[in-house]
PDB file of all heavy atoms in Angstrom:
ATOM      1  N   SER A 265     -16.246   9.975  10.281  1.00  0.00           N
ATOM      2  CA  SER A 265     -15.366   8.969  10.868  1.00  0.00           C
ATOM      3  C   SER A 265     -15.439   7.619  10.157  1.00  0.00           C
ATOM      4  O   SER A 265     -14.409   7.020   9.848  1.00  0.00           O
ATOM      5  CB  SER A 265     -15.717   8.786  12.347  1.00  0.00           C
ATOM      6  OG  SER A 265     -14.931   7.769  12.922  1.00  0.00           O
ATOM      7  N   TRP A 266     -16.646   7.137   9.855  1.00  0.00           N
ATOM      8  CA  TRP A 266     -16.768   5.803   9.269  1.00  0.00           C
ATOM      9  C   TRP A 266     -16.208   5.766   7.846  1.00  0.00           C
ATOM     10  O   TRP A 266     -15.707   4.727   7.398  1.00  0.00           O
ATOM     11  CB  TRP A 266     -18.213   5.315   9.297  1.00  0.00           C
ATOM     12  CG  TRP A 266     -19.156   6.006   8.342  1.00  0.00           C
ATOM     13  CD1 TRP A 266     -19.974   7.060   8.618  1.00  0.00           C
ATOM     14  CD2 TRP A 266     -19.379   5.677   6.957  1.00  0.00           C
ATOM     15  NE1 TRP A 266     -20.687   7.420   7.503  1.00  0.00           N
ATOM     16  CE2 TRP A 266     -20.347   6.588   6.466  1.00  0.00           C
ATOM     17  CE3 TRP A 266     -18.870   4.715   6.094  1.00  0.00           C
ATOM     18  CZ2 TRP A 266     -20.804   6.565   5.149  1.00  0.00           C
ATOM     19  CZ3 TRP A 266     -19.310   4.699   4.782  1.00  0.00           C
ATOM     20  CH2 TRP A 266     -20.268   5.605   4.320  1.00  0.00           C
ATOM     21  N   VAL A 267     -16.272   6.888   7.137  1.00  0.00           N
ATOM     22  CA  VAL A 267     -15.694   6.952   5.784  1.00  0.00           C
ATOM     23  C   VAL A 267     -14.179   6.827   5.871  1.00  0.00           C
ATOM     24  O   VAL A 267     -13.556   6.090   5.092  1.00  0.00           O
ATOM     25  CB  VAL A 267     -16.091   8.263   5.077  1.00  0.00           C
ATOM     26  CG1 VAL A 267     -15.373   8.382   3.733  1.00  0.00           C
ATOM     27  CG2 VAL A 267     -17.599   8.338   4.895  1.00  0.00           C
ATOM     28  N   ASP A 268     -13.583   7.541   6.830  1.00  0.00           N
ATOM     29  CA  ASP A 268     -12.137   7.484   7.026  1.00  0.00           C
ATOM     30  C   ASP A 268     -11.699   6.062   7.376  1.00  0.00           C
ATOM     31  O   ASP A 268     -10.689   5.566   6.858  1.00  0.00           O
ATOM     32  CB  ASP A 268     -11.736   8.453   8.146  1.00  0.00           C
ATOM     33  CG  ASP A 268     -10.242   8.461   8.390  1.00  0.00           C
ATOM     34  OD1 ASP A 268      -9.511   8.886   7.481  1.00  0.00           O
ATOM     35  OD2 ASP A 268      -9.809   8.035   9.476  1.00  0.00           O
ATOM     36  N   LYS A 269     -12.451   5.387   8.235  1.00  0.00           N
ATOM     37  CA  LYS A 269     -12.116   4.016   8.626  1.00  0.00           C
ATOM     38  C   LYS A 269     -12.275   3.049   7.453  1.00  0.00           C
ATOM     39  O   LYS A 269     -11.467   2.136   7.272  1.00  0.00           O
ATOM     40  CB  LYS A 269     -12.989   3.582   9.800  1.00  0.00           C
ATOM     41  CG  LYS A 269     -12.695   4.340  11.094  1.00  0.00           C
ATOM     42  CD  LYS A 269     -13.636   3.932  12.223  1.00  0.00           C
ATOM     43  CE  LYS A 269     -13.379   4.754  13.472  1.00  0.00           C
ATOM     44  NZ  LYS A 269     -14.278   4.392  14.592  1.00  0.00           N
ATOM     45  N   PHE A 270     -13.327   3.260   6.657  1.00  0.00           N
ATOM     46  CA  PHE A 270     -13.549   2.400   5.487  1.00  0.00           C
ATOM     47  C   PHE A 270     -12.389   2.518   4.511  1.00  0.00           C
ATOM     48  O   PHE A 270     -11.873   1.512   4.004  1.00  0.00           O
ATOM     49  CB  PHE A 270     -14.865   2.786   4.800  1.00  0.00           C
ATOM     50  CG  PHE A 270     -15.083   2.086   3.483  1.00  0.00           C
ATOM     51  CD1 PHE A 270     -15.514   0.775   3.448  1.00  0.00           C
ATOM     52  CD2 PHE A 270     -14.854   2.744   2.286  1.00  0.00           C
ATOM     53  CE1 PHE A 270     -15.707   0.118   2.242  1.00  0.00           C
ATOM     54  CE2 PHE A 270     -15.046   2.102   1.074  1.00  0.00           C
ATOM     55  CZ  PHE A 270     -15.474   0.790   1.054  1.00  0.00           C
ATOM     56  N   LEU A 271     -11.946   3.752   4.226  1.00  0.00           N
ATOM     57  CA  LEU A 271     -10.826   3.970   3.318  1.00  0.00           C
ATOM     58  C   LEU A 271      -9.551   3.356   3.876  1.00  0.00           C
ATOM     59  O   LEU A 271      -8.754   2.757   3.146  1.00  0.00           O
ATOM     60  CB  LEU A 271     -10.631   5.470   3.070  1.00  0.00           C
ATOM     61  CG  LEU A 271     -11.750   6.186   2.303  1.00  0.00           C
ATOM     62  CD1 LEU A 271     -11.478   7.690   2.250  1.00  0.00           C
ATOM     63  CD2 LEU A 271     -11.884   5.639   0.886  1.00  0.00           C
ATOM     64  N   ALA A 272      -9.341   3.490   5.195  1.00  0.00           N
ATOM     65  CA  ALA A 272      -8.149   2.930   5.829  1.00  0.00           C
ATOM     66  C   ALA A 272      -8.133   1.413   5.736  1.00  0.00           C
ATOM     67  O   ALA A 272      -7.097   0.796   5.459  1.00  0.00           O
ATOM     68  CB  ALA A 272      -8.079   3.377   7.288  1.00  0.00           C
ATOM     69  N   VAL A 273      -9.285   0.778   5.974  1.00  0.00           N
ATOM     70  CA  VAL A 273      -9.389  -0.682   5.845  1.00  0.00           C
ATOM     71  C   VAL A 273      -9.094  -1.104   4.420  1.00  0.00           C
ATOM     72  O   VAL A 273      -8.412  -2.106   4.172  1.00  0.00           O
ATOM     73  CB  VAL A 273     -10.788  -1.176   6.275  1.00  0.00           C
ATOM     74  CG1 VAL A 273     -11.009  -2.619   5.848  1.00  0.00           C
ATOM     75  CG2 VAL A 273     -10.964  -1.058   7.778  1.00  0.00           C
ATOM     76  N   PHE A 274      -9.560  -0.305   3.475  1.00  0.00           N
ATOM     77  CA  PHE A 274      -9.408  -0.677   2.068  1.00  0.00           C
ATOM     78  C   PHE A 274      -7.947  -0.735   1.654  1.00  0.00           C
ATOM     79  O   PHE A 274      -7.505  -1.716   1.040  1.00  0.00           O
ATOM     80  CB  PHE A 274     -10.173   0.314   1.175  1.00  0.00           C
ATOM     81  CG  PHE A 274     -10.725  -0.325  -0.058  1.00  0.00           C
ATOM     82  CD1 PHE A 274     -11.979  -0.897  -0.052  1.00  0.00           C
ATOM     83  CD2 PHE A 274      -9.976  -0.383  -1.230  1.00  0.00           C
ATOM     84  CE1 PHE A 274     -12.500  -1.510  -1.188  1.00  0.00           C
ATOM     85  CE2 PHE A 274     -10.485  -0.983  -2.367  1.00  0.00           C
ATOM     86  CZ  PHE A 274     -11.744  -1.546  -2.347  1.00  0.00           C
ATOM     87  N   TYR A 275      -7.167   0.317   1.988  1.00  0.00           N
ATOM     88  CA  TYR A 275      -5.789   0.308   1.479  1.00  0.00           C
ATOM     89  C   TYR A 275      -4.792  -0.388   2.397  1.00  0.00           C
ATOM     90  O   TYR A 275      -3.663  -0.651   1.989  1.00  0.00           O
ATOM     91  CB  TYR A 275      -5.312   1.719   1.103  1.00  0.00           C
ATOM     92  CG  TYR A 275      -5.028   2.684   2.239  1.00  0.00           C
ATOM     93  CD1 TYR A 275      -3.833   2.635   2.939  1.00  0.00           C
ATOM     94  CD2 TYR A 275      -5.928   3.684   2.575  1.00  0.00           C
ATOM     95  CE1 TYR A 275      -3.561   3.533   3.957  1.00  0.00           C
ATOM     96  CE2 TYR A 275      -5.662   4.592   3.593  1.00  0.00           C
ATOM     97  CZ  TYR A 275      -4.472   4.508   4.276  1.00  0.00           C
ATOM     98  OH  TYR A 275      -4.207   5.403   5.295  1.00  0.00           O
ATOM     99  N   THR A 276      -5.185  -0.738   3.628  1.00  0.00           N
ATOM    100  CA  THR A 276      -4.266  -1.469   4.503  1.00  0.00           C
ATOM    101  C   THR A 276      -4.616  -2.950   4.651  1.00  0.00           C
ATOM    102  O   THR A 276      -3.762  -3.745   5.032  1.00  0.00           O
ATOM    103  CB  THR A 276      -4.216  -0.847   5.919  1.00  0.00           C
ATOM    104  OG1 THR A 276      -5.523  -0.912   6.513  1.00  0.00           O
ATOM    105  CG2 THR A 276      -3.745   0.590   5.867  1.00  0.00           C
ATOM    106  N   VAL A 277      -5.861  -3.310   4.371  1.00  0.00           N
ATOM    107  CA  VAL A 277      -6.304  -4.698   4.557  1.00  0.00           C
ATOM    108  C   VAL A 277      -6.757  -5.340   3.244  1.00  0.00           C
ATOM    109  O   VAL A 277      -6.281  -6.426   2.884  1.00  0.00           O
ATOM    110  CB  VAL A 277      -7.461  -4.782   5.593  1.00  0.00           C
ATOM    111  CG1 VAL A 277      -7.903  -6.234   5.778  1.00  0.00           C
ATOM    112  CG2 VAL A 277      -7.035  -4.184   6.931  1.00  0.00           C
ATOM    113  N   ILE A 278      -7.661  -4.672   2.534  1.00  0.00           N
ATOM    114  CA  ILE A 278      -8.269  -5.276   1.348  1.00  0.00           C
ATOM    115  C   ILE A 278      -7.325  -5.313   0.154  1.00  0.00           C
ATOM    116  O   ILE A 278      -7.158  -6.359  -0.489  1.00  0.00           O
ATOM    117  CB  ILE A 278      -9.572  -4.528   0.961  1.00  0.00           C
ATOM    118  CG1 ILE A 278     -10.536  -4.488   2.152  1.00  0.00           C
ATOM    119  CG2 ILE A 278     -10.211  -5.197  -0.246  1.00  0.00           C
ATOM    120  CD1 ILE A 278     -10.956  -5.847   2.649  1.00  0.00           C
ATOM    121  N   THR A 279      -6.687  -4.191  -0.166  1.00  0.00           N
ATOM    122  CA  THR A 279      -5.809  -4.134  -1.342  1.00  0.00           C
ATOM    123  C   THR A 279      -4.654  -5.131  -1.265  1.00  0.00           C
ATOM    124  O   THR A 279      -4.384  -5.826  -2.251  1.00  0.00           O
ATOM    125  CB  THR A 279      -5.279  -2.705  -1.558  1.00  0.00           C
ATOM    126  OG1 THR A 279      -6.380  -1.807  -1.702  1.00  0.00           O
ATOM    127  CG2 THR A 279      -4.414  -2.629  -2.805  1.00  0.00           C
ATOM    128  N   PRO A 280      -3.935  -5.251  -0.135  1.00  0.00           N
ATOM    129  CA  PRO A 280      -2.875  -6.269  -0.064  1.00  0.00           C
ATOM    130  C   PRO A 280      -3.393  -7.689  -0.256  1.00  0.00           C
ATOM    131  O   PRO A 280      -2.649  -8.564  -0.696  1.00  0.00           O
ATOM    132  CB  PRO A 280      -2.312  -6.088   1.353  1.00  0.00           C
ATOM    133  CG  PRO A 280      -2.600  -4.674   1.692  1.00  0.00           C
ATOM    134  CD  PRO A 280      -3.944  -4.398   1.065  1.00  0.00           C
ATOM    135  N   LEU A 281      -4.666  -7.914   0.058  1.00  0.00           N
ATOM    136  CA  LEU A 281      -5.268  -9.231  -0.160  1.00  0.00           C
ATOM    137  C   LEU A 281      -5.575  -9.453  -1.635  1.00  0.00           C
ATOM    138  O   LEU A 281      -5.358 -10.549  -2.172  1.00  0.00           O
ATOM    139  CB  LEU A 281      -6.560  -9.342   0.658  1.00  0.00           C
ATOM    140  CG  LEU A 281      -7.468 -10.539   0.348  1.00  0.00           C
ATOM    141  CD1 LEU A 281      -6.821 -11.833   0.826  1.00  0.00           C
ATOM    142  CD2 LEU A 281      -8.833 -10.356   0.996  1.00  0.00           C
TER     143      LEU A 281
END
Side-chain angles (χ1 to χ4, degrees):
S265 177
W266 71 265
V267 174
D268 181 65
K269 293 177 183 180
F270 172 78
L271 293 175
V273 167
F274 212 89
Y275 72 80
T276 61
V277 180
I278 305 300
T279 302
L281 169 70

